[in-house]
mmCIF file of all heavy atoms in Angstrom:
data_model
loop_
_atom_site.group_PDB
_atom_site.id
_atom_site.type_symbol
_atom_site.label_atom_id
_atom_site.label_comp_id
_atom_site.label_asym_id
_atom_site.label_seq_id
_atom_site.Cartn_x
_atom_site.Cartn_y
_atom_site.Cartn_z
ATOM 1 N N HIS A 26 -20.714 -3.521 -15.588
ATOM 2 C CA HIS A 26 -20.851 -2.093 -15.649
ATOM 3 C C HIS A 26 -20.031 -1.292 -14.590
ATOM 4 O O HIS A 26 -19.827 -0.164 -14.695
ATOM 5 C CB HIS A 26 -22.305 -1.674 -15.652
ATOM 6 C CG HIS A 26 -23.005 -2.019 -14.310
ATOM 7 N ND1 HIS A 26 -23.412 -3.169 -13.944
ATOM 8 C CD2 HIS A 26 -23.358 -1.102 -13.327
ATOM 9 C CE1 HIS A 26 -24.022 -3.062 -12.788
ATOM 10 N NE2 HIS A 26 -23.958 -1.854 -12.370
ATOM 11 N N LEU A 27 -19.680 -2.105 -13.566
ATOM 12 C CA LEU A 27 -18.833 -1.397 -12.431
ATOM 13 C C LEU A 27 -17.350 -1.736 -12.595
ATOM 14 O O LEU A 27 -16.601 -1.491 -11.650
ATOM 15 C CB LEU A 27 -19.331 -1.864 -11.112
ATOM 16 C CG LEU A 27 -20.710 -1.418 -10.698
ATOM 17 C CD1 LEU A 27 -21.102 -1.980 -9.411
ATOM 18 C CD2 LEU A 27 -20.809 0.140 -10.640
ATOM 19 N N ARG A 28 -16.900 -2.210 -13.799
ATOM 20 C CA ARG A 28 -15.470 -2.530 -13.980
ATOM 21 C C ARG A 28 -14.566 -1.464 -13.707
ATOM 22 O O ARG A 28 -13.555 -1.618 -13.033
ATOM 23 C CB ARG A 28 -15.392 -3.190 -15.385
ATOM 24 C CG ARG A 28 -13.942 -3.361 -15.755
ATOM 25 C CD ARG A 28 -13.815 -3.804 -17.158
ATOM 26 N NE ARG A 28 -12.444 -4.062 -17.498
ATOM 27 C CZ ARG A 28 -11.710 -5.067 -17.114
ATOM 28 N NH1 ARG A 28 -12.236 -6.050 -16.339
ATOM 29 N NH2 ARG A 28 -10.440 -5.116 -17.413
ATOM 30 N N PHE A 29 -14.840 -0.253 -14.277
ATOM 31 C CA PHE A 29 -13.923 0.854 -14.141
ATOM 32 C C PHE A 29 -13.870 1.342 -12.693
ATOM 33 O O PHE A 29 -12.847 1.791 -12.243
ATOM 34 C CB PHE A 29 -14.248 1.951 -15.060
ATOM 35 C CG PHE A 29 -14.187 1.507 -16.624
ATOM 36 C CD1 PHE A 29 -15.356 1.370 -17.337
ATOM 37 C CD2 PHE A 29 -13.018 1.166 -17.062
ATOM 38 C CE1 PHE A 29 -15.254 0.946 -18.661
ATOM 39 C CE2 PHE A 29 -12.918 0.733 -18.462
ATOM 40 C CZ PHE A 29 -14.036 0.583 -19.181
ATOM 41 N N HIS A 30 -15.017 1.326 -11.989
ATOM 42 C CA HIS A 30 -15.001 1.654 -10.623
ATOM 43 C C HIS A 30 -14.090 0.720 -9.775
ATOM 44 O O HIS A 30 -13.371 1.126 -8.886
ATOM 45 C CB HIS A 30 -16.450 1.661 -10.006
ATOM 46 C CG HIS A 30 -17.329 2.676 -10.566
ATOM 47 N ND1 HIS A 30 -18.017 2.512 -11.767
ATOM 48 C CD2 HIS A 30 -17.539 3.988 -10.166
ATOM 49 C CE1 HIS A 30 -18.641 3.609 -12.004
ATOM 50 N NE2 HIS A 30 -18.435 4.502 -11.095
ATOM 51 N N PHE A 31 -14.264 -0.611 -10.116
ATOM 52 C CA PHE A 31 -13.473 -1.644 -9.307
ATOM 53 C C PHE A 31 -11.981 -1.449 -9.605
ATOM 54 O O PHE A 31 -11.136 -1.443 -8.696
ATOM 55 C CB PHE A 31 -13.904 -3.000 -9.851
ATOM 56 C CG PHE A 31 -13.082 -4.139 -9.194
ATOM 57 C CD1 PHE A 31 -13.307 -4.456 -7.891
ATOM 58 C CD2 PHE A 31 -12.077 -4.758 -9.916
ATOM 59 C CE1 PHE A 31 -12.561 -5.505 -7.259
ATOM 60 C CE2 PHE A 31 -11.357 -5.816 -9.369
ATOM 61 C CZ PHE A 31 -11.581 -6.125 -8.031
ATOM 62 N N ASP A 32 -11.686 -1.243 -10.888
ATOM 63 C CA ASP A 32 -10.232 -0.992 -11.276
ATOM 64 C C ASP A 32 -9.675 0.150 -10.548
ATOM 65 O O ASP A 32 -8.507 0.060 -9.961
ATOM 66 C CB ASP A 32 -10.032 -0.896 -12.736
ATOM 67 C CG ASP A 32 -10.184 -2.203 -13.524
ATOM 68 O OD1 ASP A 32 -10.170 -3.219 -12.880
ATOM 69 O OD2 ASP A 32 -10.434 -2.094 -14.724
ATOM 70 N N PHE A 33 -10.311 1.255 -10.604
ATOM 71 C CA PHE A 33 -9.856 2.506 -9.942
ATOM 72 C C PHE A 33 -9.716 2.291 -8.455
ATOM 73 O O PHE A 33 -8.709 2.638 -7.825
ATOM 74 C CB PHE A 33 -10.804 3.633 -10.250
ATOM 75 C CG PHE A 33 -10.307 4.878 -9.603
ATOM 76 C CD1 PHE A 33 -9.215 5.625 -10.028
ATOM 77 C CD2 PHE A 33 -11.070 5.521 -8.646
ATOM 78 C CE1 PHE A 33 -8.780 6.769 -9.442
ATOM 79 C CE2 PHE A 33 -10.690 6.690 -8.007
ATOM 80 C CZ PHE A 33 -9.505 7.294 -8.431
ATOM 81 N N SER A 34 -10.772 1.706 -7.781
ATOM 82 C CA SER A 34 -10.671 1.634 -6.265
ATOM 83 C C SER A 34 -9.612 0.612 -5.863
ATOM 84 O O SER A 34 -8.915 0.910 -4.935
ATOM 85 C CB SER A 34 -12.049 1.222 -5.756
ATOM 86 O OG SER A 34 -12.425 0.004 -6.353
ATOM 87 N N MET A 35 -9.389 -0.510 -6.611
ATOM 88 C CA MET A 35 -8.401 -1.404 -6.269
ATOM 89 C C MET A 35 -7.029 -0.816 -6.478
ATOM 90 O O MET A 35 -6.121 -1.005 -5.604
ATOM 91 C CB MET A 35 -8.525 -2.716 -7.100
ATOM 92 C CG MET A 35 -9.625 -3.659 -6.632
ATOM 93 S SD MET A 35 -9.460 -4.204 -4.973
ATOM 94 C CE MET A 35 -8.079 -5.213 -4.995
ATOM 95 N N ASP A 36 -6.796 -0.065 -7.469
ATOM 96 C CA ASP A 36 -5.483 0.620 -7.686
ATOM 97 C C ASP A 36 -5.242 1.580 -6.590
ATOM 98 O O ASP A 36 -4.097 1.641 -6.106
ATOM 99 C CB ASP A 36 -5.483 1.330 -9.029
ATOM 100 C CG ASP A 36 -5.355 0.385 -10.270
ATOM 101 O OD1 ASP A 36 -5.070 -0.802 -10.032
ATOM 102 O OD2 ASP A 36 -5.713 0.789 -11.328
ATOM 103 N N GLN A 37 -6.247 2.443 -6.206
ATOM 104 C CA GLN A 37 -6.049 3.271 -5.089
ATOM 105 C C GLN A 37 -5.777 2.558 -3.734
ATOM 106 O O GLN A 37 -4.794 2.938 -3.082
ATOM 107 C CB GLN A 37 -7.333 4.083 -4.928
ATOM 108 C CG GLN A 37 -7.553 5.098 -6.017
ATOM 109 C CD GLN A 37 -6.727 6.289 -5.802
ATOM 110 O OE1 GLN A 37 -6.579 6.828 -4.765
ATOM 111 N NE2 GLN A 37 -6.133 6.723 -6.939
ATOM 112 N N ILE A 38 -6.536 1.533 -3.509
ATOM 113 C CA ILE A 38 -6.365 0.768 -2.174
ATOM 114 C C ILE A 38 -4.957 0.180 -2.132
ATOM 115 O O ILE A 38 -4.278 0.197 -1.175
ATOM 116 C CB ILE A 38 -7.460 -0.254 -2.055
ATOM 117 C CG1 ILE A 38 -8.813 0.455 -1.841
ATOM 118 C CG2 ILE A 38 -7.077 -1.233 -0.914
ATOM 119 C CD1 ILE A 38 -10.027 -0.402 -1.867
ATOM 120 N N LEU A 39 -4.580 -0.537 -3.225
ATOM 121 C CA LEU A 39 -3.282 -1.208 -3.223
ATOM 122 C C LEU A 39 -2.167 -0.248 -3.136
ATOM 123 O O LEU A 39 -1.115 -0.498 -2.504
ATOM 124 C CB LEU A 39 -3.183 -2.196 -4.407
ATOM 125 C CG LEU A 39 -4.140 -3.357 -4.318
ATOM 126 C CD1 LEU A 39 -4.015 -4.194 -5.621
ATOM 127 C CD2 LEU A 39 -3.766 -4.236 -3.189
ATOM 128 N N ALA A 40 -2.230 0.848 -3.803
ATOM 129 C CA ALA A 40 -1.191 1.865 -3.804
ATOM 130 C C ALA A 40 -1.039 2.380 -2.336
ATOM 131 O O ALA A 40 0.142 2.500 -1.831
ATOM 132 C CB ALA A 40 -1.479 3.056 -4.727
ATOM 133 N N TYR A 41 -2.135 2.670 -1.679
ATOM 134 C CA TYR A 41 -2.046 3.147 -0.297
ATOM 135 C C TYR A 41 -1.514 2.114 0.578
ATOM 136 O O TYR A 41 -0.564 2.386 1.469
ATOM 137 C CB TYR A 41 -3.483 3.578 0.087
ATOM 138 C CG TYR A 41 -3.494 3.916 1.641
ATOM 139 C CD1 TYR A 41 -2.958 5.091 2.090
ATOM 140 C CD2 TYR A 41 -3.918 2.984 2.584
ATOM 141 C CE1 TYR A 41 -2.966 5.314 3.499
ATOM 142 C CE2 TYR A 41 -3.939 3.194 3.874
ATOM 143 C CZ TYR A 41 -3.413 4.452 4.377
ATOM 144 O OH TYR A 41 -3.318 4.673 5.685
ATOM 145 N N LEU A 42 -1.965 0.846 0.438
ATOM 146 C CA LEU A 42 -1.427 -0.197 1.346
ATOM 147 C C LEU A 42 0.049 -0.523 1.128
ATOM 148 O O LEU A 42 0.728 -0.783 2.052
ATOM 149 C CB LEU A 42 -2.325 -1.510 1.159
ATOM 150 C CG LEU A 42 -3.691 -1.370 1.700
ATOM 151 C CD1 LEU A 42 -4.471 -2.597 1.424
ATOM 152 C CD2 LEU A 42 -3.714 -1.163 3.189
ATOM 153 N N LEU A 43 0.461 -0.498 -0.147
ATOM 154 C CA LEU A 43 1.890 -0.617 -0.440
ATOM 155 C C LEU A 43 2.761 0.412 0.198
ATOM 156 O O LEU A 43 3.742 0.228 0.785
ATOM 157 C CB LEU A 43 2.190 -0.705 -1.903
ATOM 158 C CG LEU A 43 2.141 -2.030 -2.523
ATOM 159 C CD1 LEU A 43 2.212 -1.911 -4.043
ATOM 160 C CD2 LEU A 43 3.250 -2.921 -2.070
ATOM 161 N N MET A 44 2.262 1.722 0.072
ATOM 162 C CA MET A 44 2.995 2.830 0.673
ATOM 163 C C MET A 44 3.127 2.708 2.199
ATOM 164 O O MET A 44 4.115 2.853 2.800
ATOM 165 C CB MET A 44 2.423 4.169 0.314
ATOM 166 C CG MET A 44 3.241 5.330 0.765
ATOM 167 S SD MET A 44 4.925 5.409 0.424
ATOM 168 C CE MET A 44 4.910 5.882 -1.203
ATOM 169 N N SER A 45 1.943 2.389 2.754
ATOM 170 C CA SER A 45 1.874 2.164 4.226
ATOM 171 C C SER A 45 2.808 1.049 4.678
ATOM 172 O O SER A 45 3.523 1.284 5.644
ATOM 173 C CB SER A 45 0.374 1.938 4.636
ATOM 174 O OG SER A 45 0.295 1.692 6.055
ATOM 175 N N ALA A 46 2.755 -0.055 4.054
ATOM 176 C CA ALA A 46 3.625 -1.215 4.460
ATOM 177 C C ALA A 46 5.008 -0.885 4.283
ATOM 178 O O ALA A 46 5.858 -1.231 5.123
ATOM 179 C CB ALA A 46 3.238 -2.451 3.608
ATOM 180 N N SER A 47 5.394 -0.244 3.169
ATOM 181 C CA SER A 47 6.797 0.014 2.895
ATOM 182 C C SER A 47 7.359 1.106 3.924
ATOM 183 O O SER A 47 8.470 0.915 4.456
ATOM 184 C CB SER A 47 6.958 0.722 1.545
ATOM 185 O OG SER A 47 6.567 -0.180 0.557
ATOM 186 N N SER A 48 6.486 2.118 4.287
ATOM 187 C CA SER A 48 7.049 3.124 5.192
ATOM 188 C C SER A 48 7.190 2.499 6.586
ATOM 189 O O SER A 48 8.098 2.824 7.345
ATOM 190 C CB SER A 48 6.173 4.308 5.172
ATOM 191 O OG SER A 48 4.850 3.981 5.571
ATOM 192 N N SER A 49 6.283 1.635 7.026
ATOM 193 C CA SER A 49 6.393 0.987 8.342
ATOM 194 C C SER A 49 7.566 0.035 8.388
ATOM 195 O O SER A 49 8.269 -0.074 9.347
ATOM 196 C CB SER A 49 5.125 0.414 8.866
ATOM 197 O OG SER A 49 4.695 -0.572 7.967
ATOM 198 N N ALA A 50 7.785 -0.669 7.289
ATOM 199 C CA ALA A 50 8.969 -1.578 7.226
ATOM 200 C C ALA A 50 10.262 -0.741 7.251
ATOM 201 O O ALA A 50 11.236 -1.239 7.817
ATOM 202 C CB ALA A 50 8.874 -2.423 6.028
ATOM 203 N N ALA A 51 10.260 0.331 6.598
ATOM 204 C CA ALA A 51 11.502 1.188 6.547
ATOM 205 C C ALA A 51 11.878 1.711 7.954
ATOM 206 O O ALA A 51 13.052 1.657 8.307
ATOM 207 C CB ALA A 51 11.314 2.376 5.692
ATOM 208 N N THR A 52 10.937 2.021 8.758
ATOM 209 C CA THR A 52 11.251 2.418 10.135
ATOM 210 C C THR A 52 11.755 1.318 10.997
ATOM 211 O O THR A 52 12.584 1.424 11.813
ATOM 212 C CB THR A 52 9.946 3.070 10.884
ATOM 213 O OG1 THR A 52 8.984 2.172 10.854
ATOM 214 C CG2 THR A 52 9.587 4.271 10.111
ATOM 215 N N ARG A 53 11.202 0.100 10.758
ATOM 216 C CA ARG A 53 11.736 -1.125 11.552
ATOM 217 C C ARG A 53 13.151 -1.506 11.106
ATOM 218 O O ARG A 53 13.869 -1.854 11.898
ATOM 219 C CB ARG A 53 10.809 -2.279 11.261
ATOM 220 C CG ARG A 53 9.358 -2.166 11.732
ATOM 221 C CD ARG A 53 9.231 -1.723 13.181
ATOM 222 N NE ARG A 53 9.869 -2.770 14.021
ATOM 223 C CZ ARG A 53 10.316 -2.477 15.275
ATOM 224 N NH1 ARG A 53 10.143 -1.298 15.813
ATOM 225 N NH2 ARG A 53 10.895 -3.494 15.955
ATOM 226 N N VAL A 54 13.423 -1.367 9.818
ATOM 227 C CA VAL A 54 14.756 -1.661 9.338
ATOM 228 C C VAL A 54 15.782 -0.642 9.953
ATOM 229 O O VAL A 54 16.863 -0.998 10.462
ATOM 230 C CB VAL A 54 14.916 -1.719 7.833
ATOM 231 C CG1 VAL A 54 16.305 -1.743 7.378
ATOM 232 C CG2 VAL A 54 14.122 -2.927 7.304
ATOM 233 N N ASP A 55 15.385 0.592 9.931
ATOM 234 C CA ASP A 55 16.236 1.593 10.568
ATOM 235 C C ASP A 55 16.477 1.387 12.047
ATOM 236 O O ASP A 55 17.581 1.470 12.573
ATOM 237 C CB ASP A 55 15.572 3.003 10.400
ATOM 238 C CG ASP A 55 16.536 4.089 10.859
ATOM 239 O OD1 ASP A 55 17.703 4.094 10.467
ATOM 240 O OD2 ASP A 55 16.030 4.951 11.571
ATOM 241 N N ASP A 56 15.418 0.979 12.737
ATOM 242 C CA ASP A 56 15.505 0.581 14.157
ATOM 243 C C ASP A 56 16.468 -0.613 14.304
ATOM 244 O O ASP A 56 17.283 -0.656 15.265
ATOM 245 C CB ASP A 56 14.100 0.243 14.686
ATOM 246 C CG ASP A 56 14.148 0.023 16.255
ATOM 247 O OD1 ASP A 56 14.827 0.825 16.971
ATOM 248 O OD2 ASP A 56 13.403 -0.851 16.693
ATOM 249 N N TRP A 57 16.328 -1.609 13.463
ATOM 250 C CA TRP A 57 17.163 -2.792 13.516
ATOM 251 C C TRP A 57 18.601 -2.443 13.391
ATOM 252 O O TRP A 57 19.538 -2.931 14.067
ATOM 253 C CB TRP A 57 16.682 -3.753 12.470
ATOM 254 C CG TRP A 57 17.388 -5.096 12.451
ATOM 255 C CD1 TRP A 57 18.664 -5.283 11.855
ATOM 256 C CD2 TRP A 57 17.030 -6.327 12.960
ATOM 257 N NE1 TRP A 57 18.988 -6.545 12.019
ATOM 258 C CE2 TRP A 57 18.061 -7.291 12.651
ATOM 259 C CE3 TRP A 57 15.884 -6.836 13.607
ATOM 260 C CZ2 TRP A 57 17.977 -8.601 13.118
ATOM 261 C CZ3 TRP A 57 15.800 -8.072 13.981
ATOM 262 C CH2 TRP A 57 16.814 -8.995 13.734
ATOM 263 N N MET A 58 18.857 -1.554 12.352
ATOM 264 C CA MET A 58 20.259 -1.219 12.133
ATOM 265 C C MET A 58 20.888 -0.319 13.276
ATOM 266 O O MET A 58 22.075 -0.534 13.541
ATOM 267 C CB MET A 58 20.397 -0.390 10.782
ATOM 268 C CG MET A 58 20.213 -1.269 9.571
ATOM 269 S SD MET A 58 20.636 -0.558 8.011
ATOM 270 C CE MET A 58 19.953 1.017 8.044
ATOM 271 N N SER A 59 20.092 0.412 13.928
ATOM 272 C CA SER A 59 20.627 1.255 14.982
ATOM 273 C C SER A 59 20.832 0.378 16.252
ATOM 274 O O SER A 59 21.791 0.653 17.035
ATOM 275 C CB SER A 59 19.683 2.376 15.303
ATOM 276 O OG SER A 59 18.419 1.916 15.877
ATOM 277 N N ASN A 60 20.070 -0.698 16.395
ATOM 278 C CA ASN A 60 20.268 -1.593 17.585
ATOM 279 C C ASN A 60 21.328 -2.603 17.335
ATOM 280 O O ASN A 60 22.140 -2.847 18.258
ATOM 281 C CB ASN A 60 18.998 -2.206 17.968
ATOM 282 C CG ASN A 60 17.955 -1.258 18.617
ATOM 283 O OD1 ASN A 60 18.378 -0.188 19.112
ATOM 284 N ND2 ASN A 60 16.707 -1.581 18.441
#
């Protein structure tokens, strides 16, 4: 009965974590290229 809650929360969590990981990796690559 909590299937739809689980799907929604996992989609939200994974979307946030992917965006966070990608943005922090982007700053590191930019730093690597400048150095």
Side-chain angles (χ1 to χ4, degrees):
H26 68 282
L27 293 176
R28 173 183 178 73
F29 298 112
H30 292 88
F31 177 76
D32 288 344
F33 179 68
S34 61
M35 285 300 294
D36 288 342
Q37 288 283 313
I38 290 168
L39 289 175
Y41 171 76
L42 289 175
L43 268 172
M44 182 54 79
S45 177
S47 300
S48 61
S49 60
T52 59
R53 296 304 303 158
V54 168
D55 185 50
D56 186 42
W57 181 281
M58 287 192 314
S59 65
N60 288 335

